[in-house]
Amino acid sequence: MNLAMILAENIGMTYRQVLKEIVALKEISIEVKEGEVFGLIGPDGAGKSTLFRILTTLLLPTRGRAFVGGFDVIDQYREVRNIVGYMPGKFSLYQDLSVEENLHFFANVFDTTIQSNYDQIKEIYEQLAPFKNRKAGALSGGMKQKLGLCCALIHKPKVLFLDEPTTGVDPVSRKEFWDVLKRLGKEGMSVLVSTPYMDEARLCDRIGLIFHGELLAVDTPDRLIRKHDKKLVAFRARDMYRLLRDIREEPGVYSCFTFGDSLHTTFREGDYPVERFAASLREAGHVGVEWNEIEAGIEDYFMMLTNDISDGTGH
Amino acid sequence: MKIRTFIDQFFAFTRKEFYHILRDRKTLLVLVVLPISQLLIFGFALNSSLTEMPTAVLDMSNDRMSRQIVAEIDASSTFKVVERVSSMDEVDELFKRGNLSQVFVFMPGFEKEIKRTGVGNVQVIMDASLQINASTLESYILATLLNYQRKINAGRELPIQIVPEIKMRYNPRLDSAFHFVPGVIGIVLMLVCSMMASLAIVKEKESGTMEVLLVSPVRPPVIVLAKLVPYLLVGMINIVVILLISVTVLKVPITGNIFLLFFIGIVFTLSSLALGIMVSVLTKTQRSAIIISIAGLMLPAITLSGFIFPLDSLSLGMKVIVHLMPVTLFISAARNIMIKGLGMDAVYPELFGLLAITIVLIVISIKCFKNRLS
């Protein structure tokens, strides 16, 4: 159980364009063990897809080395391609082929048959079965992703790479998707999955927070949340936009972000008098100001980490 | 890689490519209709209706039958007898003045000869400098004489035959009229095959499916070769349709072996596909693939293949270069078979040239196939 199925050492990636260089990844090192579901969490443009493409042998990194299943992704790319399943962020199956034809095709490509690996995909394929004669292009977003997962799993890969598999998928399908990933991990498959949704982070064995091409933290979700050491308060008022502006102007506030229907606010000092601040907000003309102290989530920790890099506004 | 795996993957890919082609009805329609319409547009130009073509008669027999035939010719809307001459010198004079399309010559004792042998010869001398007209007029002459023959044979025990002996002046081999047709076949085939093949692989790069294919055990030869198969079949259907139209609508006689022509057509189709596939492998977007196949493949094919301009005037270096284009070799071979009626002996250099170019192009395509995204 301690075998590193994915091992990246100081991976760096710089895209050279005519007039500028774009640094997509700087010094990324991760290790994913056998049977581990590793989540790569970060906003769009953080470099998640680039890292996926390097690990799946599609791109050559400008720095560092990486191994998948013990094979070097640069020199032994053929071996790597035999043992991995990859689902790109963009839907990449044949839209003009039916569900069944797509699956057949990919089974053949991997020198296997649907029958011999049916147990692997049964759980998902049963949901697709009613639509098996429908063209892949005519499927709903969730169904497309399920088909994508089926095609990536058809050859029982040792390592599975899923680049934002749940983006644009309804909540029910997302849950089903994660149930499958959990099962795959239990069965010994290593899964590297990226997502922009922080709520999915809790479902991974370990997560890595990635931002602007940098890996900010790697740990289990619980331990990461515990690392959030600042007082966290949720504010609500009638005029949320003005509230956000006014809270950010308060010097004692470390960060403030919109989070669902409230504003998650952290303070520089643990004993900051929140009630007095709330009273001053009411005096400033805010109607319906409410506040309560809350437990931090992954996103709060992520915001705290990125607050140092960005200017406190998330940009 | 195991051979069986290779074959399995190859068939899976081929089947997939067939699905792509057959389900994209609009493109399929274009692939089949485009060559037909191109040929028909050309055929229409070839068969432009000709009326009241100035005709002279040199009747040295001047009997009942010759007069009847002249009347028959004059009565048709195509010909108009403008002059009756009495010697060949006068015929030459009229041709030189340039206002004569053809002259009918009846040798002395025309009817007597028919009564004796059952066969009468009418000599027709045509101005073939307007090649397109000449070939059409030739068929009208035949039709008019046949018509007369049928009339007088009605109720006759021993049928008689009127045989025209047609001689071309100024352009006895009727060069470009028929020469044009193998050229059109070559250009049309290349247009369809190279264009569709040039999109085949780059389309997968654009849609993202290539990303999934690359992260799989499948090797470039499978991807490249499997792309060729369904397109080759479309190409073969096109060859059959094009040859049928050439024979039935354009009235181009295929004097040589039609199977040899078909075979060379297939090899040529394959080389055009290989050319397109190479473009597809080397480009990143469908747009650039189309631009390259139009500017880089079609323009040289039209201007430098001998389709429009004869190749005799080119310098030796250019000659070598233009003969590296598959379409040049095909047009030359097709002319030899269709018009000159030559056999395998005459076209094997072209045939082997085409095969060699095809193999080289396919090898380049496989070698240049990018195993990674950039």
Side-chain angles (χ1 to χ4, degrees):
Chain A
M1 281 298 279
N2 281 320
L3 215 77
M5 290 305 283
I6 303 174
L7 185 65
E9 292 173 343
N10 305 319
I11 289 287
M13 186 71 189
T14 309
Y15 291 107
R16 288 190 178 80
Q17 289 184 343
V18 185
L19 291 172
K20 54 181 176 180
E21 286 193 345
I22 296 166
V23 180
L25 294 174
K26 14 186 165 169
E27 308 284 307
I28 298 260
S29 298
I30 55 168
E31 193 182 329
V32 180
K33 295 185 185 69
E34 203 177 331
E36 190 176 34
V37 178
F38 190 99
L40 208 53
I41 319 288
D44 291 341
K48 299 191 297 283
S49 294
T50 303
L51 183 59
F52 269 85
R53 284 178 171 160
I54 289 170
L55 293 174
T56 53
T57 74
L58 286 170
L59 288 178
L60 293 173
T62 38
R63 269 190 318 280
R65 297 194 309 165
F67 301 88
V68 172
F71 299 112
D72 189 324
V73 297
I74 298 165
D75 297 331
Q76 295 170 296
Y77 70 93
R78 285 214 171 112
E79 285 81 354
V80 173
R81 288 174 184 188
N82 277 324
I83 58 157
V84 302
Y86 171 49
M87 195 177 146
K90 188 181 150 205
F91 180 69
S92 299
L93 300 177
Y94 296 100
Q95 313 248 10
D96 53 341
L97 261 58
S98 74
V99 168
E100 210 175 14
E101 286 160 354
N102 264 301
L103 206 53
H104 258 293
F105 174 70
F106 283 100
N108 276 317
V109 162
F110 283 96
D111 197 20
T112 181
T113 57
I114 296 179
Q115 288 75 32
S116 62
N117 284 328
Y118 189 68
D119 56 311
Q120 190 84 6
I121 57 164
K122 186 168 169 275
E123 197 176 335
I124 327 163
Y125 189 67
E126 273 171 358
Q127 296 165 28
L128 280 168
F131 311 103
K132 66 179 184 183
N133 292 322
R134 193 181 283 189
K135 302 267 189 303
L139 292 174
S140 67
M143 285 293 173
K144 274 182 183 168
Q145 296 304 84
K146 281 174 192 166
L147 177 59
L149 184 61
C150 276
C151 290
L153 282 175
I154 191 74
H155 59 295
K156 281 191 182 156
K158 290 200 174 86
V159 185
L160 187 61
F161 292 93
L162 306 172
D163 192 2
E164 300 203 2
T166 54
T167 300
V169 173
D170 65 275
V172 178
S173 297
R174 271 167 66 182
K175 192 188 167 298
E176 289 166 353
F177 219 92
W178 278 94
D179 289 344
V180 174
L181 297 192
K182 284 254 146 195
R183 175 180 63 81
L184 292 173
K186 281 204 187 77
E187 288 170 10
M189 194 180 287
S190 304
V191 182
L192 181 66
V193 55
S194 73
T195 176
Y197 301 126
M198 302 284 172
D199 57 322
E200 290 181 343
R202 273 184 181 278
L203 303 167
C204 304
D205 294 327
R206 280 197 305 150
I207 51 176
L209 298 179
I210 186 167
F211 189 67
H212 285 342
E214 246 177 307
L215 205 56
L216 301 180
V218 178
D219 216 326
T220 64
D222 288 340
R223 261 186 271 170
L224 279 183
I225 291 167
R226 258 178 269 140
K227 281 185 190 166
H228 191 286
D229 51 2
K230 290 201 161 56
K231 186 190 194 110
L232 183 67
V233 170
F235 276 96
R236 265 179 295 272
R238 184 88 49 84
D239 187 349
M240 294 293 274
Y241 179 73
R242 231 186 90 210
L243 187 68
L244 177 70
R245 216 183 48 202
D246 289 350
I247 291 176
R248 279 189 179 157
E249 272 172 12
E250 161 68 28
V253 168
Y254 177 68
S255 70
C256 178
F257 294 96
T258 305
F259 201 109
D261 62 345
S262 62
L263 299 176
H264 283 198
T265 311
T266 57
F267 299 93
R268 293 186 195 283
E269 309 296 332
D271 54 357
Y272 182 87
V274 183
E275 183 49 45
R276 212 166 66 202
F277 177 48
S280 74
L281 284 172
R282 288 188 195 101
E283 269 169 40
H286 283 282
V287 183
V289 176
E290 289 172 39
W291 69 274
N292 57 306
E293 205 161 324
I294 51 167
E295 290 276 305
I298 296 284
E299 186 161 9
D300 295 306
Y301 180 62
F302 187 81
M303 288 302 182
M304 198 186 85
L305 284 179
T306 56
N307 199 49
D308 298 326
I309 299 169
S310 55
D311 54 3
T313 57
H315 297 293
Chain B
M1 188 166 33
K2 282 179 292 178
I3 293 291
R4 213 187 60 80
T5 311
F6 183 91
I7 293 171
D8 281 356
Q9 287 179 343
F10 181 77
F11 277 111
F13 263 87
T14 309
R15 192 167 60 224
K16 171 187 80 91
E17 296 303 330
F18 270 112
Y19 287 144
H20 289 327
I21 290 191
L22 294 176
R23 287 182 187 168
D24 191 357
R25 289 286 158 84
K26 279 181 199 153
T27 311
L28 190 64
L29 199 70
V30 170
L31 292 181
V32 177
V33 170
L34 183 82
I36 297 176
S37 60
Q38 297 251 324
L39 264 184
L40 284 181
I41 289 167
F42 176 68
F44 186 69
L46 194 73
N47 286 316
S48 53
S49 63
L50 302 165
T51 52
E52 305 221 321
M53 302 305 288
T55 304
V57 174
L58 171 56
D59 191 351
M60 292 186 271
S61 176
N62 203 16
D63 49 37
R64 191 176 53 93
M65 272 186 159
S66 70
R67 282 196 300 267
Q68 276 175 350
I69 293 175
V70 171
E72 193 80 22
I73 291 164
D74 204 17
S76 84
S77 59
T78 314
F79 306 104
K80 186 177 185 212
V81 177
V82 291
E83 202 95 29
R84 283 169 192 278
V85 291
S86 49
S87 74
M88 280 310 283
D89 293 341
E90 283 179 66
V91 172
D92 288 342
E93 194 58 39
L94 282 170
F95 270 127
K96 270 179 202 155
R97 267 195 266 148
N99 45 14
L100 195 59
S101 170
Q102 61 272 302
V103 58
F104 287 79
V105 182
F106 297 88
M107 299 312 273
F110 177 69
E111 190 170 352
K112 239 183 268 167
E113 185 74 8
I114 292 176
K115 285 191 172 140
R116 203 164 57 81
T117 61
V119 180
N121 285 313
V122 184
Q123 215 184 74
V124 188
I125 303 163
M126 298 180 76
D127 178 353
S129 56
L130 272 173
Q131 319 87 355
I132 293 174
N133 293 356
S135 61
T136 313
L137 287 174
E138 197 179 336
S139 59
Y140 280 125
I141 292 167
L142 281 172
T144 311
L145 291 178
L146 270 175
N147 199 25
Y148 173 73
Q149 196 177 299
R150 213 175 299 126
K151 261 192 220 164
I152 57 166
N153 276 342
R156 209 179 258 265
E157 255 176 62
L158 286 168
I160 60 158
Q161 237 186 318
I162 311 285
V163 181
E165 245 177 66
I166 295 173
K167 284 184 180 154
M168 301 293 174
R169 282 233 173 159
Y170 307 116
N171 185 7
R173 283 189 302 140
L174 249 192
D175 260 0
S176 7
F178 291 153
H179 250 68
F180 223 53
V181 174
V184 172
I185 294 176
I187 296 292
V188 166
L189 269 180
M190 186 178 163
L191 180 78
V192 174
C193 296
S194 299
M195 290 276 231
M196 62 183 181
S198 74
L199 294 177
I201 289 176
V202 75
K203 200 187 282 171
E204 298 219 23
K205 293 187 201 170
E206 264 190 3
S207 73
T209 49
M210 186 55 79
E211 208 167 321
V212 183
L213 289 184
L214 286 178
V215 189
S216 79
V218 73
R219 298 278 181 82
V222 177
I223 300 177
V224 169
L225 293 177
K227 289 271 177 202
L228 293 173
V229 179
Y231 290 122
L232 183 62
L233 210 75
V234 175
M236 281 161 75
I237 293 169
N238 273 334
I239 298 174
V240 173
V241 171
I242 285 172
L243 289 182
L244 275 176
I245 292 178
S246 302
V247 173
T248 56
V249 181
L250 306 188
K251 306 261 194 285
V252 182
I254 298 177
T255 41
N257 187 334
I258 191 158
F259 294 104
L260 181 62
L261 183 62
F262 186 66
F263 180 66
I264 289 197
I266 291 172
V267 178
F268 169 61
T269 305
L270 209 54
S271 67
S272 302
L273 289 174
L275 209 53
I277 289 280
M278 189 181 73
V279 171
S280 208
V281 163
L282 297 175
T283 48
K284 275 188 175 166
T285 60
Q286 297 194 52
R287 189 192 300 227
S288 54
I290 281 286
I291 291 171
I292 289 175
S293 52
I294 290 175
L297 301 182
M298 288 318 296
L299 280 182
I302 291 169
T303 52
L304 295 173
S305 63
F307 170 53
I308 297 178
F309 308 112
L311 300 175
D312 308 330
S313 53
L314 294 176
S315 66
L316 186 67
M318 270 312 276
K319 257 186 203 164
V320 172
I321 292 172
V322 298
H323 279 90
L324 288 175
M325 297 196 303
V327 65
T328 315
L329 297 175
F330 172 76
I331 291 177
S332 153
R335 278 176 185 161
N336 280 342
I337 298 169
M338 286 179 80
I339 292 158
K340 294 185 189 155
L342 300 177
M344 188 64 195
D345 313 343
V347 295
Y348 79 87
E350 282 96 342
L351 187 59
F352 285 112
L354 282 173
L355 279 171
I357 292 171
T358 307
I359 292 167
V360 168
L361 288 173
I362 290 177
V363 169
I364 292 177
S365 303
I366 292 173
K367 289 283 167 210
C368 292
F369 190 92
K370 285 192 193 70
N371 252 320
R372 293 194 163 86
L373 286 183
S374 61

